[in-house]
Amino acid sequence: MTRPTLIAPSILSANFAELGAEITRIDEAGADWIHLDVMDGHFVPNLTFGPPIIKAVRGATDKYFDAHLMVTNPDDLLGAYVDAGCQGITVHAEACTHLDRTLAAIREAGCRAGVSLNPHTSPDCLRYVLDKLDLILVMSVNPGFGGQSFLSSQLAKIAEIKEMVDGRDIDIQVDGGVTAANAADVVSAGANVLVAGSAVFKGGPAAYAENIAALR
Ligand code: DX5
Ligand code: ZN
């Protein structure tokens, strides 16, 4: 079964002064998912937003809210992300002492469970939790900021994960430095969900639809 290729714009690159309107704009411009980059200033050297902001913009679109938790303590606030209206919650393997339990807790809360791997992290850590995963997120930059360059070292990791997933019902998502120039390589390596921030939001609202179309 070939999974459809989905475009998930990251609102990290949006105009935060008009966040709700920006989300409506990318919805109307063709986004499949809305990628929410939650950063706590500890797991990554940046601090963005959390459940209250997510809740505030939930009404801006009906599209899938894909929360990427770049936080040191993902277990502590899982319920708040569910209450805020997220459909997918992705935690970092590097931040989870008990990843199996955390993934089970996300599913028990009614969300799809995802795990993200920093560029240095081997997919081997996922071998024994594949049955608890709905999504694997490969970071193709060192997380914390938008607008960085794609780490091509991660293409081999995407292919390795594709092998490991072996036809299971698991999305393979790539995040960081994805552009129209490398999207084909990322998909042919095995990814089916593309996160893009600067590549979508560059040029302002008038360019969002063509930027998303260029990625697709
Ligand atoms: C980086 C974030 C990515 C980033 C993508 O820590 O997780 O989602 O915002 O932004 P671009 O597409 O600009 O690299
Ligand atoms: Zn992200």
Side-chain angles (χ1 to χ4, degrees), residues 35 37 68 70 175 195:
H35 184 78
D37 278 319
H68 173 194
M70 290 164 273
D175 182 359
V195 175

Side-chain angles (χ1 to χ4, degrees), residues 11-12 16 19-21 23 34-39 48-71 77-90 111:
I11 62 168
L12 184 64
F16 275 22
L19 198 51
I23 289 171
I34 309 296
H35 184 78
L36 307 166
D37 278 319
V38 177
M39 301 181 188
T48 55
F49 50 79
I53 300 289
I54 294 171
K55 193 178 195 115
V57 298
R58 178 63 273 186
T61 178
D62 293 333
K63 294 280 172 73
Y64 185 98
F65 267 17
D66 167 39
H68 173 194
L69 305 190
M70 290 164 273
V71 303
L77 284 174
L78 285 186
Y81 291 99
V82 179
D83 296 346
C86 296
Q87 278 79 41
I89 297 176
T90 299
C111 283

Side-chain angles (χ1 to χ4, degrees), residues 4-43:
T5 300
L6 303 176
I7 307 295
S10 159
I11 62 168
L12 184 64
S13 304
N15 174 1
F16 275 22
E18 304 179 350
L19 198 51
E22 287 277 80
I23 289 171
T24 303
R25 289 177 192 134
I26 55 172
D27 173 350
E28 290 166 356
D32 295 300
W33 292 1
I34 309 296
H35 184 78
L36 307 166
D37 278 319
V38 177
M39 301 181 188
D40 67 359
H42 297 281
F43 183 74

Side-chain angles (χ1 to χ4, degrees), residues 8-13 35-39 44 46 68 70 92 116 137 139-150 174-179 195-200:
S10 159
I11 62 168
L12 184 64
S13 304
H35 184 78
L36 307 166
D37 278 319
V38 177
M39 301 181 188
V44 291
N46 195 0
H68 173 194
M70 290 164 273
H92 267 265
S116 183
L137 168 49
M139 292 309 297
S140 38
V141 295
N142 291 296
F145 302 93
Q148 301 179 79
S149 301
F150 182 86
V174 180
D175 182 359
V178 175
T179 65
V195 175
S198 41
V200 168

